[in-house]
Amino acid sequence: MAGRGSRFSAVGYQDPKPLIPVGESPMIKVVIDNLTPSRPHRFIFICQAEHVAAYGLRERLQAWAPGCEIIEIDGVTEGAACTVLKARDLIDADPIMIANSDQYVDIPIDNYLAAQDGVDGLIMTMRADDPKWSFVGLDEAGRVTRVVEKEVISNEATVGIYNFGSGADFVRAADEMIAADRRVNGEFYVAPVYNELIAEGQQVATYNIGAEAEGMYGLGTPADLELFLSLDVSAPLRATA
């Protein structure tokens, strides 16, 4: 939740992106409900401090995700990996899932989480061939051999939901990536963190949920949101309007 949402503000939206209505629910509540598993869990939100103060985000997020933690930052970071590392003091040996705050997936999240058993990392993927996405390379057994940003090396693109068997492994690997200055387009992304772990011999798998707009639905631009709201999958959200 730590971005500026500039593509929405550029076309006249006043609220920060996580609070833009999807039906009658704020976008971030839709995402919370979409990703809440039945197993014990804790949400950690990383937000712009100005949004927390101006929009009562702390109280709202605690109501929507009881027991959550909220990290406030000032200004944008050098990339999503750096943003996640702002919560390093809350990330330990437990498994973690890192997710964007502007997407919807049409799957039971419990089924996805169950697929992490027996692997060190799990990447939610979709069928795509647009270089705007991140992509995974696979070996003959279907294990991930590398993850790249903005380069089509397969038809398996990352959705933006990333699981690590240990939060501590993510922190260590992200620190290594940053120390080596392995940026893409000037930024440190989350997906390439897996390359550090793959080099150590850790096993990373994928979980494909379909295709863009047929399993994965972006909400991150006005056009994405308009498309989502025009599709049957959003009907339950629109029914509350």
Side-chain angles (χ1 to χ4, degrees):
M1 297 175 64
R4 291 296 190 191
S6 56
R7 284 171 291 191
F8 281 93
S9 61
V11 294
Y13 284 83
Q14 299 299 310
D15 291 334
K17 183 166 64 173
L19 295 179
I20 289 172
V22 180
E24 285 228 335
S25 292
M27 186 184 296
I28 188 58
K29 185 179 187 302
V30 170
V31 173
I32 292 168
D33 293 344
N34 185 225
L35 298 183
T36 297
S38 59
R39 65 178 65 187
H41 63 277
R42 173 183 59 170
F43 278 89
I44 301 172
F45 300 101
I46 304 174
C47 311
Q48 289 294 330
E50 63 183 284
H51 295 163
V52 174
Y55 295 91
L57 272 182
R58 184 167 294 276
E59 294 74 21
R60 298 168 84 172
L61 291 172
Q62 289 170 343
W64 297 331
C68 69
E69 299 278 359
I70 299 164
I71 305 294
E72 299 183 29
I73 68 173
D74 293 304
V76 295
T77 69
E78 291 186 272
C82 298
T83 302
V84 176
L85 287 174
K86 295 292 186 180
R88 67 166 65 239
D89 291 342
L90 298 173
I91 298 173
D92 51 27
D94 289 332
I96 63 168
M97 179 168 74
I98 299 168
N100 295 327
S101 63
D102 57 2
Q103 65 195 11
Y104 184 93
V105 292
D106 189 21
I107 60 161
I109 198 64
D110 284 342
N111 292 358
Y112 168 70
L113 292 175
Q116 189 170 350
D117 294 341
V119 296
D120 301 301
L122 183 66
I123 304 174
M124 191 180 293
T125 61
M126 61 182 174
R127 295 187 305 277
D129 59 8
D130 190 317
K132 70 180 181 179
W133 303 112
S134 309
F135 290 84
V136 301
L138 302 169
D139 65 15
E140 293 181 356
R143 292 184 294 260
V144 178
T145 57
R146 62 179 176 135
V147 186
V148 302
E149 290 285 343
K150 321 311 177 198
E151 179 185 353
V152 183
I153 60 171
S154 71
N155 64 354
E156 293 276 333
T158 70
V159 166
I161 295 178
Y162 304 105
N163 285 62
F164 294 81
S166 165
D169 276 352
F170 168 79
V171 170
R172 175 177 50 78
D175 282 342
E176 290 172 357
M177 180 185 74
I178 292 168
D181 201 29
R182 286 191 269 273
R183 303 171 187 254
V184 179
N185 297 333
E187 295 188 32
F188 295 109
Y189 287 85
V190 169
V193 172
Y194 288 105
N195 293 326
E196 309 295 326
L197 301 178
I198 293 168
E200 297 174 1
Q202 295 202 30
Q203 294 192 1
V204 180
T206 60
Y207 187 98
N208 191 290
I209 65 168
E212 184 184 9
E214 295 177 5
M216 180 277 187
Y217 304 87
L219 308 174
T221 70
D224 288 342
L225 179 57
E226 182 178 358
L227 173 62
F228 176 69
L229 291 173
S230 74
L231 300 173
D232 290 344
V233 69
S234 69
L237 299 170
R238 288 183 279 111
T240 65

